[in-house]
Amino acid sequence: AIAIVGKEKGIYRLLHIDLKKNISFQQQRLLIDDVFQRYHVKRMNIDKTGIGMQLSEEIVTAHPNLAFGKHFTRKLKERLALNLLKLCEDKKLQIYNDSILLSQLHAIKKKATATGITYDAERDETGHADGFWAIALAVNELSWGEEPIHIEVW
């Protein structure tokens, strides 16, 4: 999934989200290239864990100082999930009223494991909560170290 988030006066707004699934790496690359052409991208974070490693490396190489690969560790996923939750609780995030996106946002569950707490979702027909993680990656860089963030569905 690709999420484009803007911020104005402390409010974060989902400008665009692409929840494509089962597309080739080439198609993913074309979608990301289109994002760089259509939007004034200040920063793009890409999951570089496992299967995303090659795509991340290509995008980071093509867009140095704008694209950054993120390894999805338990600690990063916790920070992303809690940050997005806080934005929603504080009603500082505006998103689309889309049933698939909303189901992905609600799919993330806090789970206790032998090594600690983790945040994840079961895989279903809509994916693996990819929309949640895409939005969480986008708002993370915009909000880290600032005051907490309102969710308004439109």
Side-chain angles (χ1 to χ4, degrees), residues 17-45:
I17 191 157
D18 201 328
L19 298 172
K20 300 254 192 284
K21 59 181 185 173
N22 300 322
I23 63 173
S24 70
F25 290 113
Q26 181 181 5
Q27 290 171 309
Q28 291 176 43
R29 174 67 192 266
L30 292 173
L31 284 172
I32 293 170
D33 288 341
D34 184 56
V35 166
F36 276 99
Q37 290 176 4
R38 291 176 50 200
Y39 297 95
H40 177 68
V41 176
K42 292 184 179 178
R43 183 179 182 102
M44 178 178 281
N45 294 311

Side-chain angles (χ1 to χ4, degrees), residues 55-154:
L55 180 63
S56 172
E57 185 178 298
E58 289 176 9
I59 299 300
V60 168
T61 300
H63 303 280
N65 302 315
L66 293 175
F68 300 87
K70 297 288 185 178
H71 186 72
F72 265 46
T73 63
R74 184 173 50 90
K75 186 174 181 175
L76 176 63
K77 288 172 84 172
E78 177 181 27
R79 186 172 82 209
L80 293 175
L82 293 177
N83 189 41
L84 188 56
L85 175 63
K86 184 67 174 156
L87 290 176
C88 294
E89 287 175 346
D90 291 346
K91 298 183 177 162
K92 290 188 177 180
L93 176 65
Q94 297 176 341
I95 60 171
Y96 307 131
N97 187 4
D98 177 84
S99 61
I100 293 173
L101 176 59
L102 292 173
S103 71
Q104 288 190 12
L105 291 174
H106 288 283
I108 299 296
K109 303 296 179 207
K110 180 179 177 179
K111 299 175 186 175
T113 68
T115 58
I117 302 295
T118 188
Y119 293 83
D120 219 335
E122 300 296 325
R123 187 171 297 279
D124 65 14
E125 66 278 355
T126 65
H128 196 60
D130 295 334
F132 175 94
W133 295 116
I135 294 170
L137 272 172
V139 300
N140 184 62
E141 297 298 330
L142 291 173
S143 64
W144 195 248
E146 296 180 1
E147 284 183 30
I149 308 186
H150 295 351
I151 189 155
E152 180 180 357
V153 178
W154 48 275

